[in-house]
Amino acid sequence: MAAPNWQNQTIWTGDNLDIMRGMNADSVDLIYLDPPFNSKANYAAPIGSKAAGAAFKDTWTLRDVDVDVEWINLIEAKHPALYRVLLAAMTSSDKSYLAYMAVRLLEMHRLLKPTGSLYLHCDPTMSHYLKLVMDAVFGRKAFRNEVVWKRFNFHADANRYGALTDRLLFYTKGNPYVFNRAYAPYSAAYIKAKFTHKDAAGRRYRLSDLNPPNGRGPVYEFNGETRAWRITEEKMRKLHAEGRIYTDSKIPQLKRYLDELPGQAVGDLWPDIPAINSQAKERQGYPTQKPLALLSRLIQASSNPGDMILDPFCGCATACIAAESTTKKRQWVGIDISPKAAELVVSRMREELGLFFTGVHRTDIPKRTDLGKVIPYNDAKNKRTLYGEQGGSCNGCGEHFRPQNLEIDHIIPRAKGGTDHLSNLQLLCGYCNRVKGDRGMEYLMTKLQMAA
């Protein structure tokens, strides 16, 4: 696994695709992303709010052919299973949105360590398609949960049931992976129903049977009963001496004290984390801000102290603040298209955590350091290898040329996070290379199609 080629507390402004392409592989422990939902709406923070100036569009069309069509072409060539998902999209808007997400999720998969996890935050608008995309990128066996977060208690929608919930698609890169069981406080009703006993000191407890699993356990006599028990005789007598065995029933039972239990294990329905109150200190006015408690829960569940957390759509930096504010801190890096995110992470650390931002705000594209020794991109050895792989044809127009008439080109420009590694190189004829310049292949292919 490679070390990150950035420092802790880095906040980037720019296109997350370009920036992620320049980040080292296998360097991130947990990714949380809250991307656009394909809601067919545009969002902006209200004037006067802390996040004023932050805005993003959530409308998608294939009008931007120079980007979307070539993304789809690249996915078709290298990721056929993922391409089939794009073909299943019902509308051009859906296809455009899924192409945008797919190329980024491929990079996120590369960035995750083998033990890493990813949570994709979405709503039912596209969750079914996004799960298919995730299955194609990560593999179906990498799916762990579809967590349902109850975002609202009430929402009136015309001619349908009110939309109250969001989805968190939880995937892991491999197995084993990090997972720390999360617990929520018991409800008052649950405590009343289950913790029905009190000891002399007034401590509430409930009873738990001591029957062994499958009827198999150590056999001995206790309290007049000779049978198989869940625990050893030594432990049973120790607990009895401590007053932790209930013997007023025919079969002794274990006392489980309320104040010693962590709470109720969290399942895949999260109804206990409310949306942010308008008066809450953490409220920034960001149009799609998520509560700190939500991010804190999944960060603590799927990472360990010191792990690196990435939020590639960090918005008002809630994931970054949650990583910093956990009991045992995590490292973090955030990316957002708007420079407002960098402003907000600095102010939120000061106002909510009482800490000074000691990281860095970057606008450049990082340079990968995990590829080992890479020979100069225009080395003759690269040209010979590429000529054989491409069968002597230009990767743009497709025409066959002699080696001296082909030029080495970066598929993803270095200005967009591309590397000098052979996997990012191709041969183009002189004409195609001049047309493409330092732009992406999508630009060249569009120009060739227009000229045809």
Side-chain angles (χ1 to χ4, degrees):
M1 290 180 286
N5 54 333
W6 65 89
Q7 71 175 65
N8 181 29
Q9 293 189 12
T10 294
I11 188 83
W12 255 292
T13 296
D15 187 330
N16 57 18
L17 180 60
D18 300 341
I19 293 165
M20 288 190 293
R21 282 170 170 168
M23 298 169 79
N24 285 350
D26 301 330
S27 56
V28 174
D29 296 282
L30 172 63
I31 298 175
Y32 166 82
L33 63 151
D34 182 15
F37 285 5
N38 196 19
S39 63
K40 311 298 190 293
N42 294 325
Y43 298 88
I47 296 172
S49 69
K50 295 177 182 178
F56 66 91
K57 75 176 186 70
D58 195 13
T59 54
W60 304 86
T61 70
L62 283 174
R63 181 178 59 223
D64 300 321
V65 175
D66 61 327
V67 175
D68 298 315
V69 170
E70 187 53 29
W71 280 346
I72 292 170
N73 290 341
L74 289 173
I75 290 169
E76 179 183 13
K78 295 188 176 183
H79 305 280
L82 186 54
Y83 178 67
R84 289 193 291 272
V85 175
L86 301 187
L87 289 180
M90 299 296 289
T91 68
S92 61
S93 172
D94 292 345
K95 185 175 292 186
S96 176
Y97 171 77
L98 292 175
Y100 172 89
M101 291 299 301
V103 292
R104 286 161 174 78
L105 286 165
L106 287 167
E107 288 301 319
M108 293 178 212
H109 182 268
R110 180 184 65 81
L111 295 180
L112 278 177
K113 293 179 181 178
T115 54
S117 303
L118 181 147
Y119 289 81
L120 193 165
H121 197 133
C122 56
D123 71 6
T125 304
M126 294 297 290
S127 61
H128 48 307
Y129 280 124
L130 287 169
K131 186 178 184 303
L132 291 174
V133 169
M134 294 286 286
D135 284 348
V137 173
F138 282 76
R140 291 184 63 185
K141 291 183 178 180
F143 171 69
R144 302 303 167 200
N145 285 105
E146 179 177 327
V147 175
V148 178
W149 172 45
K150 186 180 178 183
R151 186 171 184 174
F152 304 108
N153 287 322
F154 173 78
H155 200 273
D157 292 327
N159 302 316
R160 66 171 188 167
Y161 301 111
L164 305 179
T165 59
D166 280 1
R167 305 291 187 270
L168 290 163
L169 301 179
F170 171 29
Y171 281 75
T172 61
K173 188 171 183 177
N175 196 0
Y177 55 92
V178 174
F179 188 73
N180 306 307
R181 178 67 63 188
Y183 295 90
Y186 294 117
S187 68
Y190 183 88
I191 292 173
K192 183 178 180 181
K194 299 295 182 180
F195 291 87
T196 56
H197 298 267
K198 291 184 180 181
D199 65 10
R203 296 174 67 199
R204 299 183 74 108
Y205 65 89
R206 63 180 174 88
L207 300 178
S208 178
D209 72 63
L210 290 163
N211 295 321
N214 301 317
R216 291 192 289 270
V219 177
Y220 54 88
E221 183 276 331
F222 179 76
N223 201 44
E225 286 286 325
T226 300
R227 60 196 299 277
W229 302 93
R230 178 178 290 272
I231 57 179
T232 65
E233 182 175 7
E234 180 183 7
K235 186 172 182 180
M236 177 77 84
R237 300 200 181 281
K238 179 176 182 295
L239 290 171
H240 185 244
E242 295 172 352
R244 290 176 175 266
I245 301 297
Y246 183 83
T247 57
D248 291 351
S249 58
K250 181 179 179 182
I251 305 297
Q253 294 174 279
L254 178 65
K255 298 178 182 178
R256 294 193 178 275
Y257 284 90
L258 174 62
D259 58 11
E260 294 179 349
L261 296 174
Q264 193 149 20
V266 172
D268 62 2
L269 174 63
W270 294 3
D272 58 319
I273 300 177
I276 303 169
N277 185 283
S278 60
Q279 304 302 315
K281 184 179 180 181
E282 65 181 279
R283 183 78 176 182
Q284 303 296 306
Y286 193 81
T288 58
Q289 184 178 351
K290 304 303 185 294
L292 195 59
L294 184 77
L295 276 300
S296 295
R297 173 174 290 176
L298 64 87
I299 285 173
Q300 293 188 69
S302 292
S303 68
N304 290 322
D307 281 354
M308 179 61 71
I309 315 299
L310 165 64
D311 183 349
F313 295 86
C314 69
C316 62
T318 299
C320 304
I321 298 301
E324 190 68 34
S325 64
T326 50
T327 305
K328 295 182 178 178
K329 294 181 182 180
R330 276 66 166 167
Q331 301 183 77
W332 56 264
V333 55
I335 310 170
D336 201 78
I337 196 69
S338 170
K340 179 59 69 171
E343 296 176 26
L344 290 174
V345 75
V346 173
S347 64
R348 293 190 69 180
M349 283 186 66
R350 181 180 64 250
E351 295 170 7
E352 297 176 39
L353 307 181
L355 299 173
F356 287 106
F357 175 67
T358 59
V360 61
H361 176 207
R362 295 175 62 173
T363 57
D364 63 319
I365 305 298
K367 304 298 182 184
R368 290 180 63 178
T369 60
D370 63 329
L371 297 174
K373 185 178 180 180
V374 178
I375 63 176
Y377 82 95
N378 55 357
D379 190 277
K381 182 179 179 181
N382 280 341
K383 192 168 190 178
R384 288 193 297 271
T385 301
L386 292 168
Y387 192 83
E389 289 179 353
Q390 295 179 203
S393 297
C394 168
N395 239 20
C397 63
E399 295 293 325
H400 187 274
F401 292 89
R402 292 191 299 175
Q404 58 265 40
N405 298 119
L406 290 169
E407 301 170 0
I408 298 177
D409 171 71
H410 292 84
I411 299 172
I412 299 169
R414 283 185 284 191
K416 295 288 187 180
T419 71
D420 289 346
H421 193 269
L422 183 64
S423 61
N424 189 47
L425 302 179
Q426 64 183 350
L427 293 181
L428 296 178
C429 67
Y431 173 78
C432 287
N433 203 13
R434 299 302 168 279
V435 172
K436 178 176 178 289
D438 62 354
R439 294 170 285 260
M441 278 297 286
E442 62 275 4
Y443 179 83
L444 170 62
M445 300 308 291
T446 301
K447 291 298 182 183
L448 292 175
Q449 291 168 8
M450 291 172 63

